Amino acid sequence: MIGTKVQKGVEGLRLEGLRKRFGEVEVLRGVSLEVRKGEFFTLLGPSGCGKTTLLRLVGGFEVPDAGRVLLSGRDITGLPAHLRPVNTVFQNYALFPHLTVYENVAFGLRSRRFPEGEVRARVEYALGLLRLESLVHRYPHQLSGGQKQRVALARALVNEPEVLLLDEPMSALDAKLRAEVQVELRNLQRRLGATFILVTHDQEEAMAVSDRIGVMEAGTLLQVGTPEEVYERPRTRFVAEFLGVANLIPARRKDGGVETPYGLFPLRPPWEEGLLALRPERVEVHLEPVPGSSPAQVRQVVYRGAYLEAFLDPPLRVRTPLRLAPGQEVHVRLPVEGLVILDE
């Protein structure tokens, strides 16, 4: 049944060297990835980076030009979408407008000729799981955006897929509802222990729901890790900037460390000149000099409610509870443990 837990960490989905070209455009450039069984994995990147194409290759809606898709050790690369143990929740939900909520959820099971008793049992379980029991007789045009999203999820989950693919399913929701649905989705995945793969361009959404995140750019997978790993230890400039706000600090090797506009730090980068990344909330801001601090001048201040965001000179972006004003002199300390050496 739908509620059966699976063991996280055993062999799940494996992508090997996937390539895909549409005309002259190479959309995927040899992407390899392992998604563990029972994991919530997110493909994160800007529009046009190839994340949706990668999802469509997993779902069987596209065929790769090269590479393989393996699920539980089985090569499914050439298997059509309707024969794969995979279901997709699309951005527009793709509900049948002429069918009620109950009929929408039951459609896949009935098309596969399940006995009506089993159809009813599975549908009722899925509707209960997603708190849709009171909406069974409504049609899609009578539902809110969040309700439509839950119906689409129920319709996918009722088929008990090994992998559930989510193609930006929350992009049409307003900010408050999106945050609520993110929590619901994460809780649902944990209860089921199923494998969810989400595609999104929203880094806050990816951080909120994921066990691991894969950051994509221009058809390549740049970095894979837990939300904390990719946020705190980005490998490249693109990853540092795409996952939130990052200070990119120019640095050059000198005297066994690196020299920056804010002092010398005991780091050993592989380059002579390059960039360090530092998150704004990691910068210490003081009104008086402290050991290891450097003077800076406040150029601009933006009120963010829980904190102030200040832009300093030499160039640095900080988040602080201190009440600062443009033109004010402050003293900043860059904690060496927060500085990240970028590969490029």
Side-chain angles (χ1 to χ4, degrees):
M1 279 296 292
I2 297 172
T4 303
K5 288 260 186 183
V6 294
Q7 182 184 354
K8 184 186 284 192
V10 299
E11 187 171 16
L13 177 71
R14 190 163 80 249
L15 312 180
E16 297 180 347
L18 290 179
R19 294 184 176 275
K20 185 66 180 178
R21 180 183 292 274
F22 294 107
E24 297 300 312
V25 180
E26 190 175 23
V27 180
L28 293 176
R29 305 178 180 183
V31 174
S32 295
L33 171 67
E34 289 193 24
V35 178
R36 302 162 191 147
K37 189 168 262 187
E39 180 175 41
F40 200 129
F41 190 92
T42 297
L43 292 166
L44 175 67
S47 298
C49 72
K51 58 189 187 296
T52 294
T53 299
L54 193 61
L55 203 74
R56 291 178 65 80
L57 293 182
V58 174
F61 302 106
E62 301 285 352
V63 178
D65 298 328
R68 298 196 303 166
V69 178
L70 296 99
L71 183 58
S72 299
R74 177 189 177 197
D75 189 341
I76 62 169
T77 310
L79 206 62
H82 68 280
L83 294 180
R84 298 188 183 199
V86 174
N87 274 113
T88 305
V89 177
F90 295 100
Q91 187 172 345
N92 63 0
Y93 312 133
L95 300 178
F96 298 113
H98 61 290
L99 299 182
T100 64
V101 167
Y102 184 97
E103 292 165 340
N104 261 285
V105 176
F107 182 85
L109 297 175
R110 285 174 171 165
S111 66
R112 291 158 61 194
R113 307 204 187 285
F114 275 74
E116 194 58 31
E118 186 172 352
V119 170
R120 185 168 55 255
R122 285 202 191 194
V123 171
E124 288 177 355
Y125 181 86
L127 292 172
L129 196 66
L130 288 145
R131 296 180 286 111
L132 294 166
E133 302 97 323
S134 64
L135 306 176
V136 291
H137 299 302
R138 291 193 189 180
Y139 290 87
H141 73 274
Q142 298 172 311
L143 303 175
S144 68
Q147 290 167 341
K148 289 178 183 177
Q149 198 259 7
R150 296 209 306 274
V151 174
L153 277 171
R155 188 178 63 180
L157 290 170
V158 79
N159 294 299
E160 299 184 359
E162 287 187 43
V163 178
L164 182 65
L165 306 177
L166 302 154
D167 187 8
E168 304 225 32
M170 291 168 272
S171 61
L173 306 181
D174 62 59
K176 183 176 182 295
L177 183 56
R178 188 183 309 129
E180 293 173 358
V181 172
Q182 286 167 9
V183 174
E184 286 185 4
L185 192 62
R186 183 55 167 148
N187 290 339
L188 175 65
Q189 188 271 337
R190 283 175 172 160
R191 287 202 305 274
L192 297 177
T195 305
F196 281 23
I197 301 178
L198 170 70
V199 156
T200 185
H201 63 274
D202 186 330
Q203 59 95 6
E204 290 186 6
E205 183 170 288
M207 302 278 281
V209 302
S210 309
D211 290 314
R212 289 190 303 150
I213 296 170
V215 184
M216 293 189 67
E217 181 197 23
T220 61
L221 196 58
L222 296 181
Q223 186 172 348
V224 175
T226 66
E228 183 178 3
E229 286 169 348
V230 292
Y231 182 80
E232 295 289 352
R233 312 305 296 180
R235 292 178 188 161
T236 68
R237 175 174 185 160
F238 179 86
V239 174
E241 292 186 307
F242 197 78
L243 270 92
V245 176
N247 290 295
L248 301 176
I249 302 168
R252 64 167 57 203
R253 277 201 291 194
K254 181 180 179 182
D255 300 333
V258 293
E259 185 180 42
T260 76
Y262 285 92
L264 189 68
F265 296 91
L267 299 172
R268 296 187 179 278
W271 33 254
E272 291 294 328
E273 291 188 32
L275 292 173
L276 306 177
L278 180 65
R279 297 297 181 189
E281 64 272 17
R282 300 296 297 272
V283 182
E284 296 179 13
V285 183
H286 302 273
L287 299 179
E288 301 293 336
V290 299
S293 68
S294 301
Q297 189 172 57
V298 179
R299 288 191 292 108
Q300 184 180 356
V301 175
V302 179
Y303 178 70
R304 300 290 189 190
Y307 60 88
L308 284 182
E309 188 165 43
F311 298 82
L312 310 181
D313 197 19
L316 203 64
R317 193 168 174 174
V318 303
R319 292 174 179 173
T320 176
L322 297 175
R323 295 301 182 222
L324 305 177
Q328 182 178 353
E329 184 176 89
V330 294
H331 298 267
V332 297
R333 192 181 80 84
L334 279 53
V336 68
E337 65 273 12
L339 293 167
V340 181
I341 299 168
L342 300 179
D343 291 342
E344 58 180 46

